[in-house]
Amino acid sequence: MTLYIHDTLSGQKVPFEPTNPDRVTMYVCGPTVYNYAHIGNARPVVVFDVLFRLLRHLYGEDKVVYARNITDVDDKINKKAIDEGVDISVITNKFADIYNADMAALNALPPTYQPRATEHMPDMVAMIEDLIARGAAYVTDDGEVLFRVADYDGGSGRYGKLAKRSLDDMIAGARVEVAENKDNAADFVLWKPSKPGEPEWPGPKGLPGRPGWHIECSAMSEAKLGLPIDIHGGGQDLIFPHHTNEIAQSCAAHGHSDPAAYAKYWMHNGFLDFSGEKMSKSLGNVVLVHDLIKDYPGEVIRWALLSGHYRSPLNWTPELLEQSRKSLDRLYGILLRAKDIPLQEVWPDDVIFGPLLDDLNTPGAVARLYEIAPALDSMVERNDPARVKTSFMALANVLGILQQDPEVWFKQGASDDLTAQVEALLAERAAARAAKNWPESDRIRDALNALNVEVMDGPQGATWKLKGKA
Ligand code: AMP
Ligand code: ZN
């Protein structure tokens, strides 16, 4: 089974061949923790979680090492800490915990490593020292350390290879601050002095200060995964400057000229749009995951995020969520009817993963679930449907959906009181039926109807769900 992925660096769909199939590595840029994550921030998390699950399925659960960092050193964090009069760790610990809980609600598996920038300062400083020693970086009069972009590029076009742009274009497009201390307008910060009141760490060349954003990921990814990383991912907005600069620093620090020496494959998700624009904190058009999970089961939100191909824009609407809820209700209904079918210990047919192996085609995978579902439904009454159910669940597990007990799923709108009332009525009904007291049994059925409850009788006894669900 070969997995094909679209690689931003080569600009092509290519077969995925890890450097070491016994240790497949993936790094995805994580959040800057000073605020709640919006649903656009959750898109890369869910997309790369499907990839993580797929790689674990293909190579073995203990053969895939996934690092998703926490950026806990940043100007916005400093500002918030100063505004609130607290240490930055008060802000970053709070929002990292909220982030992890919110992403867990979307069924995102915890990554193998979740490195924090503050834990890797010595790695960053060592890398910057190496860059200075190689002449790839320089110290300015005001104590900043900058990376020499033009030297790294050397006229080869290598600096712009990921973004598919020339150095001149990028300088013009990025409107890089014209700073007198720069040898070249494209040079970017590796280390800079902290402002009064901001935290600082011992730095390269004895300069106290704080790292730039890009060096944080270069240091953390190498420390946790080793180079080259197999897959490096993130949102499209990170291609330039963040990932472009990560490649430049990491390659220059080791004297590599081929950008693939840092990461073999690059994958980028498209934007999640809301009211016609990219959802972003700066535009203020955000829907927070923290709020959404109060109103919708996490799987509904996850399904909505996977309903589009990861490289296409995804338009976020209330209808998308309602549609996702209906789709899941339907599939859970089938699983409820098939609940007594055991899972079989057979390796499912490769064909079920076809769409995911083709550049993580999640809409195709969802369509495949729908193709399998009728077979599962029609086999409910027969004797040997275990293989179908096993295949169906194998695909659902890689998508990270249908992870709940179907009975629990359908009861999630019911209060504890209602649940207790229904369970009591069902017990009375079972007793009435055992005593062949049909009028009593009918009376109880009417009472359940009045509670908007539908009863389903099966070989293992009766189950129930709220009406209006599949
Ligand atoms: P940030 O906290 O802004 O650094 O973003 C964390 C991650 O979310 C990065 O991988 C971004 O590329 C990604 N991201 C931010 N906004 C969106 C969006 N509207 N759609 C998809 N991905 C996004
Ligand atoms: Zn990063």
Side-chain angles (χ1 to χ4, degrees):
M1 274 203 290
T2 306
L3 165 65
Y4 285 82
I5 53 176
H6 183 273
D7 168 34
T8 313
L9 192 59
S10 64
Q12 287 175 341
K13 203 193 277 185
V14 293
F16 173 66
E17 285 157 6
T19 303
N20 174 4
D22 286 330
R23 191 170 182 277
V24 180
T25 58
M26 175 161 87
Y27 185 89
V28 174
C29 294
T32 306
V33 280
Y34 67 100
N35 214 330
Y36 291 93
H38 60 70
I39 189 67
N41 299 133
R43 191 174 192 197
V45 175
V46 167
V47 162
F48 289 102
D49 181 64
V50 173
L51 183 57
F52 182 39
R53 287 167 180 263
L54 182 63
L55 292 170
R56 282 157 57 102
H57 181 81
L58 296 174
Y59 293 91
E61 283 198 2
D62 54 346
K63 302 283 165 62
V64 185
V65 189
Y66 175 23
R68 189 183 69 216
N69 72 291
I70 295 255
T71 297
D72 62 353
V73 178
D74 179 89
D75 285 337
K76 293 185 226 74
I77 296 172
N78 288 338
K79 183 174 181 309
K80 192 153 190 161
I82 289 170
D83 287 352
E84 296 188 12
V86 294
D87 188 80
I88 56 164
S89 62
V90 175
I91 306 289
T92 57
N93 287 338
K94 172 181 167 187
F95 286 105
D97 287 349
I98 292 172
Y99 179 84
N100 284 337
D102 288 350
M103 298 307 135
L106 304 185
N107 285 358
L109 298 173
T112 324
Y113 296 116
Q114 195 171 43
R116 296 183 179 213
T118 47
E119 295 163 354
H120 287 271
M121 287 296 165
D123 297 316
M124 294 175 216
V125 173
M127 191 178 274
I128 297 170
E129 296 273 14
D130 283 349
L131 289 167
I132 297 171
R134 285 172 177 271
Y138 56 99
V139 182
T140 67
D141 292 344
D142 29 16
E144 290 191 348
V145 184
L146 302 183
F147 183 84
R148 286 190 199 282
V149 169
D151 278 14
Y152 167 74
D153 190 66
S156 67
R158 128 182 5 123
Y159 179 68
K161 189 160 182 237
L162 187 74
K164 312 267 171 290
R165 288 153 72 186
S166 74
L167 183 53
D168 289 345
D169 265 12
M170 286 192 279
I171 295 170
R175 285 180 306 237
V176 190
E177 274 172 63
V178 183
E180 281 171 11
N181 61 353
K182 288 185 180 180
D183 284 4
N184 182 310
D187 295 351
F188 59 86
V189 170
L190 299 171
W191 191 264
K192 63 180 182 185
S194 299
K195 297 197 191 93
E198 290 181 352
E200 63 180 17
W201 290 265
K205 298 279 171 207
L207 297 163
R210 41 151 301 194
W213 172 33
H214 318 306
I215 198 80
E216 296 180 10
C217 281
S218 278
M220 285 187 273
S221 59
E222 181 170 350
K224 290 297 180 217
L225 303 178
L227 302 189
I229 304 160
D230 286 313
I231 298 174
H232 194 315
Q236 257 168 15
D237 51 337
L238 301 184
I239 295 175
F240 179 77
H242 186 51
H243 290 164
T244 296
N245 290 349
E246 273 187 51
I247 295 174
Q249 305 158 152
S250 290
C251 286
H254 296 287
H256 291 306
S257 55
D258 178 4
Y262 173 51
K264 273 184 93 173
Y265 306 93
W266 287 84
M267 293 175 74
H268 292 98
N269 64 275
F271 293 140
L272 182 140
D273 298 329
F274 189 56
S275 4
E277 280 181 300
K278 177 194 170 193
M279 185 179 285
S280 80
K281 284 169 201 156
S282 53
L283 289 173
N285 61 344
V286 296
V287 178
L288 303 180
V289 179
H290 205 65
D291 293 335
L292 268 179
I293 55 178
K294 291 178 195 148
D295 295 332
Y296 292 89
E299 285 195 1
V300 168
I301 301 165
R302 184 174 174 107
W303 180 287
L305 287 170
L306 294 176
S307 64
H309 189 272
Y310 77 93
R311 286 195 292 122
S312 305
L314 181 70
N315 195 24
W316 193 256
T317 60
E319 294 76 41
L320 177 64
L321 279 167
E322 281 314 315
Q323 196 52 47
S324 303
R325 187 199 286 275
K326 284 197 185 112
S327 302
L328 276 169
D329 280 349
R330 198 181 137 208
L331 294 180
Y332 268 117
I334 290 172
L335 281 181
L336 186 61
R337 292 192 283 282
K339 79 183 170 63
D340 296 326
I341 299 173
L343 290 175
Q344 196 171 280
E345 283 303 311
V346 290
W347 202 237
D349 202 335
D350 292 358
V351 88
I352 61 171
F353 291 103
L356 288 180
L357 294 170
D358 182 12
D359 193 26
L360 223 58
N361 181 356
T362 53
V366 165
R368 189 60 47 98
L369 276 182
Y370 274 114
E371 280 163 33
I372 304 173
L376 182 56
D377 222 11
S378 66
M379 283 176 134
V380 166
E381 302 301 318
R382 293 201 233 138
N383 286 334
D384 188 26
R387 190 182 167 82
V388 178
K389 185 169 174 183
T390 308
S391 302
F392 183 86
M393 284 314 299
L395 182 52
N397 292 344
V398 169
L399 287 169
I401 53 170
L402 300 169
Q403 302 294 294
Q404 288 191 35
D405 181 327
E407 293 198 26
V408 175
W409 174 264
F410 283 115
K411 286 169 197 163
Q412 59 194 337
S415 65
D416 289 349
D417 276 358
L418 178 65
T419 304
Q421 218 180 331
V422 173
E423 301 291 348
L425 282 167
L426 283 179
E428 287 174 30
R429 179 171 171 270
R433 287 166 70 126
K436 300 201 183 331
N437 183 348
W438 306 123
E440 173 66 356
S441 168
D442 286 351
R443 184 196 65 76
I444 297 170
R445 190 196 55 215
D446 292 346
L448 287 162
N449 255 328
L451 291 173
N452 199 33
V453 163
E454 184 181 333
V455 178
M456 291 153 295
D457 290 304
Q460 310 291 318
T463 56
W464 61 277
K465 62 187 172 82
L466 291 177
K467 276 191 203 157
K469 299 209 167 188

